[in-house]
Amino acid sequence: MQTKGRILPATAEAIAEAAALLKAGGLVAFPTETVYGLGADATSEAAVARIFAAKRRPAFNPLISHLPDRAAAQGLAAFDSRARALAAAFWPGALTLVLPRTTDCAIARLTSAGLESVALRVPAHPVAQALLRAVGRPVAAPSANPSGRLSPTRAEHVAAALGGEIDLILDGGACEVGLESTVVGLIGPAALLRAGGVTRESIERVVGPLLVPAEGEAAPVSPGRLLSHYAPNLPLRLDATSVRPDEALLAFGPAIAGGAMTRNLSAGGNLVEAAANLFQMLRELDRPGLAGIAVMPVPEHGLGAAINDRLRRAAAPRGEGR
Ligand code: TXA
Ligand code: MG
């Protein structure tokens, strides 16, 4: 039997076990030089849904995908000359690049919260490096703290706050930087999306002046506003209790009958499963020729809050909340 919240010193055996857990869809906390990350297979919608469930986020925030080197990032995103220069200068390190995702990008839609961009980082910490090489897939990892709490810089912080939710915590000691990575957006003009371990000045020496969100606005420049989230072309009708023949149905729990086509977020009413299916199913139902997408009610508890947040944004009049 596996017990949750186990802390193991990051030996070769522990790293091998952590990699196996990640490949099987588990949650593993691991050290990076910035902060501890709460990792899951970034290519698995279901594994990433577990991250959001563990962090108890009220909304889906896009997550950073971690890779062992620049070569492993090949094929996931479009690297323009600025991205190549920044990667060459700061990877491995405390820099995250937000780049356009490629059409055949393997990163799950939920990892990037439905955005057309992906956030990539190559951490320098030897434990993170060894783990990422052993997994052989991108690993999604937000800071390993519950939403709204301080980021963890020691394995004990992770165990105290989230231990019950995590399959294994790799202990690599205290994080050297202790501050999250700097996030630079390269969708359009280079922008400082989050200050962090690499200074603005050192980045500007490579790519020139960065756009910086206005004073006092740094954190709330939500990616949802800054970069257009995926919103279906069809209008959404929420809390549907019936469906018309010209509508697509996004069901939850036992599906109501009718509709031109149906996708069920979770027939059994499982919110983690529903989160994993959300972005993919919205895309599948968004067919030209239909009148709209009827969405059955999703309960507001647990991951339901984040699912409903996303659905309300997608249902909002166009130009708002996207
Ligand atoms: O140091 C770090 O960056 C740590 C370690 C574990 O790597 N991770 C971390 O992740 O701080 P998280 O999820 O707590 O923060 C991710 C940041 C958020 O500010 C998020 O909005 C931004 O990256 N981000 C991720 N994907 C994005 C995207 N596609 N577009 C814009 N911003 C994005
Ligand atoms: Mg965080």
Side-chain angles (χ1 to χ4, degrees):
M1 267 313 284
Q2 293 219 356
T3 42
K4 294 270 174 180
R6 263 183 322 143
I7 302 187
L8 289 180
T11 60
E13 299 81 67
I15 289 170
E17 185 187 345
L21 283 165
L22 286 170
K23 285 197 245 188
L27 289 185
V28 171
F30 64 96
T32 80
E33 69 276 29
T34 58
V35 299
Y36 275 75
L38 176 58
D41 177 354
T43 67
S44 162
E45 307 274 355
V48 171
R50 291 190 58 202
I51 293 180
F52 287 104
K55 287 199 52 128
R56 293 191 203 86
R57 278 220 132 109
F60 297 121
N61 248 25
L63 306 177
I64 299 169
S65 294
H66 297 73
L67 303 149
D69 51 36
R70 165 79 172 80
Q74 201 63 44
L76 299 173
F79 282 75
D80 63 13
S81 58
R82 302 169 302 174
R84 287 195 299 270
L86 286 173
F90 299 108
W91 281 357
L95 178 70
T96 294
L97 296 177
V98 174
L99 304 171
R101 67 186 284 146
T102 52
T103 41
D104 55 355
C105 177
I107 293 173
R109 289 285 174 183
L110 185 58
T111 306
S112 47
L115 294 167
E116 287 304 328
S117 54
V118 288
L120 304 180
R121 176 175 173 222
V122 173
H125 196 290
V127 173
Q129 279 281 325
L131 179 66
L132 293 167
R133 283 182 200 288
V135 175
R137 300 175 199 165
V139 172
S143 49
N145 52 290
S147 193
R149 307 264 296 280
L150 281 183
S151 294
T153 53
R154 289 177 177 275
E156 307 87 78
H157 300 166
V158 182
L162 282 178
E165 320 277 344
I166 304 178
D167 297 308
L168 178 61
I169 301 169
L170 284 179
D171 188 349
C175 301
E176 215 171 279
V177 179
L179 189 72
E180 285 97 337
S181 63
T182 304
V183 181
V184 171
L186 293 175
I187 313 290
L192 184 66
L193 301 182
R194 181 178 73 183
V198 174
T199 65
R200 174 183 173 181
E201 292 74 15
S202 60
I203 293 167
E204 289 186 328
R205 257 178 252 129
V206 178
V207 287
L210 293 172
L211 278 181
V212 184
E215 194 63 38
E217 200 197 16
V221 171
S222 88
R225 271 163 228 281
L226 199 65
L227 304 162
S228 147
H229 263 90
Y230 175 75
N233 292 310
L234 293 177
L236 258 62
R237 186 165 67 80
L238 302 184
D239 294 320
T241 51
S242 65
V243 56
R244 294 191 292 265
D246 59 350
E247 284 181 317
L249 175 68
L250 186 62
F252 180 83
I256 50 185
M261 62 187 294
T262 296
R263 290 288 181 276
N264 201 328
L265 289 171
S266 171
N270 179 323
L271 289 164
V272 179
E273 183 185 1
N277 285 328
L278 179 65
F279 292 109
Q280 184 58 38
M281 288 186 171
L282 277 174
R283 281 171 192 271
E284 289 169 9
L285 294 176
D286 195 17
R287 296 270 179 91
L290 296 179
I293 302 174
V295 185
M296 288 176 65
V298 175
E300 190 66 29
H301 61 81
L303 275 187
I307 294 170
N308 284 323
D309 170 81
R310 195 67 202 88
L311 287 170
R312 281 190 288 265
R313 285 166 192 266
R318 293 306 140 89
E320 288 171 39
R322 299 183 59 165

